[in-house]
Structure formats: structure tokens, C-alpha cells
Amino acid sequence: GVSLQLVHKKINISDTVVSWEHEQFSRKRILAVTLSRHPSHAPHLRSSVLDRTVDKAALKKNVEIVANALARVVFDLESTYSIFSGSYGVNVPFLEAWVDMAGREGRMAAHAAVASK
């Protein structure tokens, strides 16, 4: 199995700076979460959208775990049922291209680009 730890942080809606990316959605009462290997939002831990070095095999495994977990909740499936495997599994070349592109992007640049539109 995979160990998972839930960290609940109260959001100060009057604060203009957000610690985690999902807080912007939570302020608007949109259900959102951030999945991270870091227990804290400390800036020195996070310099880009992705970690500087990405274990692509681990990321593929984690994408499959999250996708299957969401599918089981949304479609009320048995816990042993796995939709995203085989031909419906993670497209590794796409995942690698996405990792390469996201790793070049600064953490806040993604938010700035949306705000300027």
C-alpha cells in the first residue's frame, strides 16, 4: 500500500498570499486539495511547479493511484477495481513531456499568466 498523511491547514481569507495552490480555489468555496510530498508550504522546499528532480517512475505510479482512487469514488467502484491500467494507463511519453515543460516553469509564473489574460 501507499502511506498517506492528511495535513489540514486553516485558511486566512484576508491574507493576500496563499501557502498552497489549492487555497485560491478554497477561498471561492471550490473543493480543492494539494498533493505534495512536503509536509509544509515552506518556500525553500518548492522552487518550481515540480521538484527539481522528478522520479518519473514514481510519478507514473502516483498518477495511477490518484486516478484510480478518484474513479472509485466517482463511479462507486470496489476498491480492488483498477480502470487506469493497460491501454487506459498513463501515457509515459506524454507524462515525461509534461514533467519537462512544468519543470521549466516557475511556481508563480503559472498564476501570473492566468491573471494577465
Side-chain angles (χ1 to χ4, degrees):
V2 175
S3 64
L4 180 71
Q5 179 184 15
L6 179 66
V7 177
H8 185 267
K9 178 184 167 289
K10 195 151 182 102
I11 299 172
N12 181 355
I13 60 172
S14 64
D15 193 357
T16 57
V17 177
V18 295
S19 300
W20 295 100
E21 286 74 8
H22 77 275
E23 291 179 20
Q24 296 192 32
F25 297 100
S26 296
R27 287 179 173 174
K28 296 176 182 171
R29 301 197 188 285
I30 299 171
L31 181 62
V33 299
T34 296
L35 298 175
S36 176
R37 69 183 182 105
H38 301 296
S40 167
H41 66 278
H44 70 278
L45 297 174
R46 309 174 313 145
S47 58
S48 73
V49 174
L50 297 173
D51 296 332
R52 287 293 174 203
T53 58
V54 176
D55 180 344
K56 292 176 184 172
L59 181 60
K60 177 185 180 288
K61 177 183 159 200
N62 291 339
V63 167
E64 289 172 344
I65 289 169
V66 171
N68 282 305
L70 286 172
R72 284 193 288 272
V73 170
V74 170
F75 299 114
D76 194 25
L77 302 172
E78 295 177 20
S79 63
T80 58
Y81 199 80
S82 178
I83 293 176
F84 299 103
S85 61
S87 62
Y88 293 113
V90 174
N91 180 326
V92 176
F94 176 81
L95 182 66
E96 289 174 348
W98 184 87
V99 166
D100 293 339
M101 184 277 308
R104 290 189 303 265
E105 192 72 30
R107 183 161 285 278
M108 288 299 139
H111 298 299
V114 172
S116 67
K117 288 183 179 178

